[in-house]
Amino acid sequence: MKNIFLILFILITSFGSSQQCNSVLTGKISDFHDNTTLENATIQIIGTNKITISDEQGNFEFKNLCKQTYKIEVSHIACKTKVVNIEVDGNTYKLISLEHHLEELSEVTVKAKEQTTTKTAQETLIKTDVLERYSSLSIGDALKEVPGVSSINTGNTIVKPMINGLHSSRILIMNNGVRQQDQEWGIEHAPNIDINNAGQISVIKGSGALAYGGDAVGGVVIINPSRTINIDTLYGRTILGGQTNGRGYNITTTLNKNYSSGWFTQVQASYKRNGDFKAPDYYLTNTGLDSKGFAGRFGKRNFESGFEVYYSYLDNEIGILGASHIGSVFDIERAINSGQPLLIRDFSYDINAPKQEITHHLAKANYYKRFQGFGKISVQYDYQYNQRLEFDVRIGDRRNIPAIDLTLQTHSFLADVNLDSNLDRKVKFGILGRYQNNFANPDTGVRRLIPDYDKYDFGAYITTEWKLKDNLILDGGLRYDYVHIDAKKFYLKSRWEERNYDQDFADIIIEEFPTQYLTNPIFNFHNISASAGVRIDLNDENRLLFNYSLASRPPNPSELFSDGLHHSAARIELGDIRFDKEVSNRLSLSHSYNTDRLRVLSEVFYNRINNFIYLRPFDFILTGRGPFPIWEYQQTDAELYGIDLTVIYDISDKIQFSNKSSLTKGYDVETDMALIDMPPFSTINQIRYTNSNWNNFSASLKSEWVFEQNEFPDFNFEVEDQLTEEMVLIDISTPPAAFNLIHFYSEATFDLSDKTKLNIGLGINNIFDQSYRNYLNRLRFFADDLGRNFTLQLQLNY
């Protein structure tokens, strides 16, 4: 037995000594982006003490390696560390690439989060810490943090963003890479987006971001989710909020799971509930809100390739001020003269007609792949389902049947190529295909305001960015869009002849009925858009931006087809199928001055819009309940210009003063008359105290001063009162008086554990409970705006 063990030992040791560990592994470290070699990269064989450094040519070498698979770790300054498996079988050569331009490419770095989408357009970022304070409010409320951005409201829960005097279809909203399609053409149609899904918002004034669309006459709003990080981690956020006005409460929770391999997943859910809001002197009956939202995303994201699948759901039930329901124009006249709503009830959480119920589903899947020395290719498909129900005050069997029932479905496919191997000469181009179907339910018992239609879009663009010097950047772009609309619409014969359609469009009648025609309007629009700009860094403190943008926007379905009573707007609206596309030529100039203590940004613009479409009071029609207002879409040439100013001054390390002011003017060039619904001059001054030693305590006092709009069109009209035979003036044009509101906000953050923090925020809006009415609130005829409101928010980060 002893001899047998000896023989086995000799055989084993002989076999081991016969294994040749004399292989050589050589290779080169290069930049994935542009194939340049990387010097001083550290290469280590994991699990051994073998380590080397790449030479000037990026070469490295390991000797005396055995035949096996080695795990190699490669690292370099400003590069993400990379681990590769290399099988060594004799002398082996391996080319290993790292990305050395992550920051310039806005990839995976903390600093990259603050980079803007464009280089020469007027763009402002709203960061996560600011968005979190608006958890109980809306996207429209948060966007007003940007100078030049206001809102046109229907009450206080339907908040539609306005950029330099333009809104609705003129503002393009990108929600996590998907263009929002939720019947945004209506003034009383707010974006169906849960603000708690947003990690950062970018506001671009004008159409400088052609990759997203060429019809952004007013601007582009880009909503991005929080970034994924390639670290094995699990973290989340829960926000609880409450407010006295409306006795509202809200909760949102977000949970993230990330892996170092690039896999990630995120789920988010939110709920908001408000009852009747309150003006200083009375409750605003039937102004409650019930909102439920959910979003989820998962995928894998690495520098070289990745994919994402995303889904979001939002369900809103929104009450509309009960006093705004009118039977005739005399109700408007009585509301204006009474100074308070004609319907005031005790507080309630009930939401009755008039109201809106909106459901929005969004789903997308995208994939990208980087190619060494070339760039990045991305493809995406997305689908949206939007259902809008608008309930009027009705009686009998139709009490619970909506007066408007619209279902909008949208399918989109996008493909983009980003040639960024030369960071000084970037080029990006792409194509878009989209199909959209609108179905107007005929079972409402009311003539359909918007008809059934199919809409087809095709777009192609190219943009470029040239870095001529370290302080000089040029960019430009060109885009073509084709839009085809195929509709089926009924017209009353009386309306058809009244608008002279019988002379211009007799060929689109496909069927005749006793009192109406069934028509098939078909439209084809060819749109060209372009942009060009320059950014000049004069020195370390001064920067200039100049941009020209050309935008073309086809008329939306509401502008073309509206024909009937719009119940939630309490008026008859008339579109015009003769409308041509809008064409905008916008010039902008920005100057920023930055020092350690003072930061000043001034932005001026001029926007000439040919064939500008707007909605105005036009006439009235006699109904069974009396005269009812008619609002008509009209087309003219318009010009808008203005200035936005931001000043931030650090008085000391703890005290900061800031001012945001905005002035916008808009005129009808053909009549030299002011445009309707232009924002008045506004200025916001704030003093803020911070102390990091007091649990990051901060407190701010803000003055919001909105001037009276002194330039407005006179669309007042007179109606004869059949009872008194007197003419009654319906003053729907005169703006309300100026107002100045004072707000307070304070917050502090407490460490509950090493990984858990609690942020407590306390706010008081309209401290002095001032009564006021906003010119851009279309319910200003019926009631005051909100009174004092105490808010409390608890945010737990874990």
Side-chain angles (χ1 to χ4, degrees), residues 137-187:
L137 300 174
S138 69
I139 288 286
D141 291 306
L143 292 178
K144 288 186 282 189
E145 286 281 337
V146 178
V149 178
S150 52
S151 66
I152 187 161
N153 294 14
T154 302
N156 55 284
T157 51
I158 301 177
V159 183
K160 197 169 187 67
M162 173 185 283
I163 301 178
N164 291 144
L166 301 174
H167 57 85
S168 301
S169 297
R170 299 184 184 94
I171 295 180
L172 190 160
I173 299 180
M174 298 297 298
N175 182 11
N176 191 15
V178 178
R179 177 164 180 172
Q180 188 79 5
Q181 301 283 344
D182 53 3
Q183 304 170 36
E184 67 281 354
W185 25 264
I187 288 180

Side-chain angles (χ1 to χ4, degrees), residues 290-356:
D290 190 312
S291 177
K292 297 174 283 290
F294 171 82
R297 55 196 284 247
F298 76 92
K300 187 176 184 181
R301 187 176 297 277
N302 288 312
F303 177 75
E304 296 181 18
S305 65
F307 77 95
E308 178 183 333
V309 177
Y310 174 79
Y311 169 77
S312 69
Y313 165 81
L314 187 65
D315 181 84
N316 284 334
E317 184 179 13
I318 305 171
I320 297 176
L321 182 70
S324 67
H325 176 77
I326 64 171
S328 70
V329 294
F330 296 121
D331 292 336
I332 299 178
E333 187 266 339
R334 282 190 291 270
I336 294 173
N337 292 333
S338 69
Q340 68 176 28
L342 301 179
L343 174 64
I344 300 176
R345 293 175 180 165
D346 293 337
F347 173 86
S348 174
Y349 282 104
D350 295 339
I351 300 176
N352 301 306
K355 67 175 182 177
Q356 299 179 1

Side-chain angles (χ1 to χ4, degrees), residues 51-70:
I51 187 169
T52 188
I53 304 295
S54 61
D55 62 19
E56 294 180 357
Q57 303 303 316
N59 297 314
F60 68 91
E61 181 182 74
F62 288 109
K63 297 180 178 179
N64 302 324
L65 300 182
C66 300
K67 180 183 177 181
Q68 68 178 75
T69 299
Y70 292 93

Side-chain angles (χ1 to χ4, degrees), residues 661-673:
S661 300
S662 179
L663 174 66
T664 298
K665 296 291 186 180
Y667 298 96
D668 183 331
V669 175
E670 296 180 1
T671 63
D672 197 29
M673 185 170 59

Side-chain angles (χ1 to χ4, degrees), residues 183 185-186 188-189 388 390 403-408 436-442 444 446-454 485 487-491 556-567 573-576 633:
Q183 304 170 36
W185 25 264
E188 70 291 344
H189 298 181
R388 167 172 289 274
E390 297 186 2
I404 293 179
D405 183 348
L406 300 176
T407 300
L408 185 71
Q436 185 174 91
N437 170 263
N438 183 74
F439 172 70
N441 191 340
T444 61
V446 178
R447 293 192 70 251
R448 289 177 284 182
L449 180 69
I450 303 296
D452 298 345
Y453 67 83
D454 293 310
I485 302 175
K488 295 288 196 312
K489 177 167 178 59
F490 286 94
Y491 281 97
N556 64 45
S558 181
E559 294 163 341
L560 289 170
F561 302 125
S562 287
D563 178 30
L565 180 59
H566 193 171
H567 290 266
E573 295 180 1
L574 299 178
D576 197 327
Y633 286 99

